[in-house]
Amino acid sequence: MSHHTHNRRRQHMLQLVVLLSALILWFTPVPDSLAHFIAKLPASDLQFTPQTAWHLFAIFMSAIFAVMLNALPIFTSSILAVSAAILTGTLTAKQAFSGFSEDWILLIIVAFLIARGVIKSGLGKRIAFLIIRKFGKTSLGLSYSVIAADMLIAPAFPSNTARSGVLFPIVNALASDSGSKVSNGTRKKLSSYLMMSSMAGLTISSSLWLTAMAANPAGAKMAKVFGVDITYSSWAVAAAAPVLILFFLIPRFLMWIYPPEIKETPDAPEIAQAQLDHMGPVHRNEKIMAAVFIGMVGLWIASSFVPELNKTAVAFLGLGILMIANIFTLDDLSHEGNALGTLVWFAILYSMSVYLNKFGFMAWIGDNVSHAIARMSWPVAYVVLVFAYVLIHYFFVSQTAQMLALFSVFLGVAVDAGVPAELMALMLLFATNFNAVITPQGSSANVIYVGSGYLEAGEIYRVGGLVTLLNTVVFLTVGTFWILLIS
Amino acid sequence: MSHHTHNRRRQHMLQLVVLLSALILWFTPVPDSLAHFIAKLPASDLQFTPQTAWHLFAIFMSAIFAVMLNALPIFTSSILAVSAAILTGTLTAKQAFSGFSEDWILLIIVAFLIARGVIKSGLGKRIAFLIIRKFGKTSLGLSYSVIAADMLIAPAFPSNTARSGVLFPIVNALASDSGSKVSNGTRKKLSSYLMMSSMAGLTISSSLWLTAMAANPAGAKMAKVFGVDITYSSWAVAAAAPVLILFFLIPRFLMWIYPPEIKETPDAPEIAQAQLDHMGPVHRNEKIMAAVFIGMVGLWIASSFVPELNKTAVAFLGLGILMIANIFTLDDLSHEGNALGTLVWFAILYSMSVYLNKFGFMAWIGDNVSHAIARMSWPVAYVVLVFAYVLIHYFFVSQTAQMLALFSVFLGVAVDAGVPAELMALMLLFATNFNAVITPQGSSANVIYVGSGYLEAGEIYRVGGLVTLLNTVVFLTVGTFWILLIS
């Protein structure tokens, strides 16, 4: 039996496991406490019974479970879940597809397309070389420069996946220029360290900006339900202290627990200079791209004050200008099927989690968890909940999926336990980002680094786990103190 | 100056023309009659002024104009229009993006992906070769066979969108097997002609049966208010004469105005036989694909009786099965960026057209028309009204939307002017179908053909416009005579 056939058979076995557990969950009688809880909810326009809520939970949970087990990719799992939800009458088509018209979901998709323009125009490459020319003399300096580049471009990339697609080629070029390769067994000389740095750096660059990760704006929106108003600037201010400390710590921490064999790279600035010379003066496309980029970021920031400046409309305008300037073309668009895939699974899972919430299910879970931590003082409850939220990410393949499933529940429980709502909301939003390297599949942004071969899965569980611990400790200490200070 | 530069410069000139005319339209004072008309409308939840309606018209019209002039591709034009509509406060983001969650729009996108599965599985190829073996000696024969297949399956498909999802993969397979492709610039050899044939064919297959288009039964119901009783058989009898003549004419007409470069393919049947021999017996993937396809079609037909059988959910289920069977993969998805492009432009134009209607603009147009024909004799009024109804479709992105907005208005005006009610009712119902190819966005059934890349938006305005003219003339002459004869 070939390796391939073996894998296929294993996959189908896993799918069968998911299907069976889905059926068991579906036919499990509705827990009495859920039925009582829903009966006590205030009346709404929605027509549903406890059975509906339970069935939606069975479908949603099975979709997540299939992804956790690697039985199905998240796209396949989502489209099967949505058809199950509609065909069984659990959700109406209108409810199930409501997520597709959310402007912030569409923003992610437009950002994917604009990221392609950044790469194509050459602007991304130039910015990276400029930073490397300045900071690239040592391995440590390179690590800092890669993460700094990430943090600088992050506000304009509401997709850390797209951003990893910009950063990876640069890190990869640096790696191969250093002569530290997978093919000849020298990856540990420098390249593995740089790859791990960049991957770990994404956890803090994503934590720093409201627009640096796909699910961040969604979380901010969900926090509004709890009366927490998070703006572009209030997010950045709250994140600044812990993120800057981690920016300082992570390259050194990795130098300690995952050291490169080469620590000095005196030639890197020269290589960057040579590449810059080769690129010549700033091209027309780079100038247009930079202007569009700066204009978009400016309008995004201004959108907090001017309601008409809808972020998605601004992004569509930017994309339209890139298309008129021929920087992003219809041919480029035709290769962006992954953006469609992301739109589909994201919108579906979002819609489902919204209705799981509207049907009272999340509140019921929260009710149960809050009973469990009822006797704890709020600081203890806070620490327990944050650690639990971080550790649960072992079971999630997507940062977004975890947030959609658990953010509101954890926030609700914490607020009931007396944790300040703003503190808890921000910490959970940050945790959604800083727990991303706890596993190789913990973020779609990890995938490209893992795929490079420079990092082995086992190394990521160990090193990524330690980075996640460092992140958690810094955010829980410095971060908590800072947020309480400024709020 | 190179040819390329020349083209780019010409393009930018055209874009300037569109921009200037958009600005002129935008700043033109709102016509008094529109202001008065809107002031008299019953109150609604929507907050808008006559100015809002006029501005939305200016933006929508300019987007259409840009595509007609070939100044911008339909995708670029639409995203710029939607950003203009939102950033000027003409539409809210919620209104402007509402189309994205319409299930029948998502159905088009899923149909795209399933079409890829039909090709990849080999099933499309096999069906295509079977058709070529029988009818493939000439391009004309292929065109006839495609339209005939459409007309035969139409009574069982109350959604021409779903039907286009069934026909498209077969036409697509015919196209790609002919070696006439978009990628190498040979689409005009045969494929564009076949795509245009199938798209034009849908106008007459939808006209032929009461159950061949979603809005047909709704229109028949609305006609009852005017004392016109339309049954399944009276519809088919009335449509039979003009539709059969158009079935004969359309492939020849397209052969004349939009000819394929290859007209005779005497060897094709033999080649098809050789290819069928080469393919051997039906493969596993073809069998699965056929089962999924038949299952989907069966559920689509059953969806008329079972409300939970939402067509889009059924399509997602079919796609999910294809993915589990590895017939459609994530790698395939990553190349389907055009499906994303189609979703974006169609959802945007649809949303705009919906709100142009909700803001009273369409009803105002109808009001003007009825004033204009007040003194005409009934035959003149009849011809003018039918032409007006057909031409107004330039502004509608959905056949159903136009019928719901204008059918009763036009029928009432005509009856007042002395036009026989049954004649007018039938002709308006037919026109709702036969005007569908007047623009690329005129029917959701067009969209999948446009998205294929075989047809350019500008070509559809020209060729589709001429087909619509042919349809209108045949229906107004033969159709009118026939209806008066049998009634």
Side-chain angles (χ1 to χ4, degrees), chain B residues 145-180:
Chain B
S145 60
V146 166
I147 301 179
D150 180 7
M151 285 165 69
L152 286 175
I153 63 173
F157 279 86
S159 157
N160 56 358
T161 312
R163 206 159 71 250
S164 71
V166 171
L167 291 169
F168 173 77
I170 294 165
V171 180
N172 200 21
L174 272 174
S176 57
D177 288 332
S178 72
S180 163

Side-chain angles (χ1 to χ4, degrees), chain B residues 38 83 105 113 134 199 202 213 296 325 356 374 397 443 484:
Chain B
I38 288 178
S83 56
I105 293 184
L113 306 183
K134 198 149 180 96
M199 202 178 77
L202 275 156
M213 205 272 283
M296 268 176 21
L356 210 49
V397 177
S443 164
L484 290 175

Side-chain angles (χ1 to χ4, degrees), chain B residues 228 378-379 382 386 411 419-430 475-476 479-484 487:
Chain B
V228 179
W378 82 255
Y382 168 67
V386 170
L411 183 52
V419 184
E422 188 178 4
L423 173 65
M424 193 69 205
L426 284 168
M427 196 54 62
L428 288 175
L429 288 170
F430 298 152
F475 266 93
L476 271 179
T480 302
F481 179 76
W482 174 247
I483 291 169
L484 290 175
S487 67

